[in-house]
Amino acid sequence: MQPQQSQLLQQQVVVFSKNYLPLARINIKRAIVLLVTGQAESLAYSGQQWEVRSPSVVLQVPEHIRLTVSNPERHWKLPPVSRREIFRRDQHRCQYCGSHQHLTLDHVIPRSKGGTHSWDNVVAACERCNSRKGDRLLHETGMLLKAKPKAPMHPAIAFAEQFWKAQQPIDT
Ligand SMILES: [Zn+2]
């Protein structure tokens, strides 16, 4: 059944790159702009379609659209190693004890021992864990990291992985 116009405008559309890589889930309003301006087209793969009406136009908006222009995500750059980006990656949790309180940045291999200020050597740590660890290497402290620190993935690749996972049939 066709939902109400107001509900309709809450729908999400998956946008694929020109090379058929699923990129992101976008609001239907953004999808309409891309379709109307010729920057995207319907994807045949698509299942559902929504009919969007304005006073002058009736538009069929599919669940999946494909960009007809080059992929803007190509210009994505790895974010700098900053408090904000590290805390975001680590979901504002100390990577040793899980605390959300008094977070600081910890160099897993201390800078004094040649550790770099890089995505794979910097984690969020609470003040308590950070001072407990001090200027030592992990194996000298008996402390454990919850996860191996990694650089963030290109958002389109992260989205594609998650998208294809969700498309798999349940009983295989
Ligand atoms: Zn902690």
Side-chain angles (χ1 to χ4, degrees):
M1 212 184 84
Q2 181 75 7
Q4 296 296 308
Q5 187 89 354
S6 59
Q7 285 176 298
L8 197 68
L9 295 177
Q10 307 298 315
Q11 300 295 329
Q12 304 262 293
V13 169
V14 175
V15 52
F16 286 70
S17 73
K18 215 175 167 183
N19 305 320
Y20 300 92
L21 176 74
L23 292 178
R25 211 172 283 282
I26 60 172
N27 182 273
I28 195 169
K29 286 181 245 176
R30 233 182 112 197
I32 292 168
V33 172
L34 291 172
L35 288 167
V36 169
T37 57
Q39 295 177 78
E41 61 182 23
S42 322
L43 200 60
Y45 170 78
S46 163
Q48 199 172 347
Q49 285 216 343
W50 298 290
E51 194 173 280
V52 182
R53 292 161 181 278
S54 80
S56 53
V57 193
V58 178
L59 190 68
Q60 301 293 330
V61 183
E63 222 179 336
H64 302 113
I65 62 170
R66 171 182 166 247
L67 294 175
T68 52
V69 291
S70 289
N71 173 12
E73 300 275 346
R74 243 179 42 203
H75 304 293
W76 182 80
K77 276 207 219 93
L78 191 64
V81 182
S82 64
R83 275 174 78 86
R84 208 178 101 196
E85 297 292 345
I86 293 286
F87 288 179
R88 190 203 312 236
R89 180 199 64 189
D90 293 344
Q91 294 164 331
H92 297 266
R93 279 178 172 276
C94 170
Q95 292 302 290
Y96 299 106
C97 73
S99 167
H100 288 292
Q101 307 286 319
H102 310 293
L103 290 181
T104 59
L105 289 185
D106 174 54
H107 291 87
V108 179
I109 299 171
R111 301 206 82 168
S112 63
K113 304 214 156 109
T116 53
H117 188 70
S118 57
W119 278 103
D120 55 3
N121 192 50
V122 179
V123 295
C126 71
E127 277 172 9
R128 207 165 137 251
C129 290
N130 205 338
S131 68
R132 192 177 139 214
K133 179 166 170 275
D135 209 22
R136 295 178 296 169
L137 295 168
L138 264 195
H139 71 266
E140 299 171 325
T141 62
M143 294 166 77
L144 287 176
L145 279 170
K146 293 196 174 291
K148 195 172 149 49
K150 285 189 293 203
M153 228 187 261
H154 189 299
I157 295 171
F159 180 82
E161 278 195 352
Q162 185 222 326
F163 178 84
W164 293 120
K165 219 181 270 172
Q167 302 303 307
Q168 278 162 11
I170 294 152
D171 47 359
T172 50

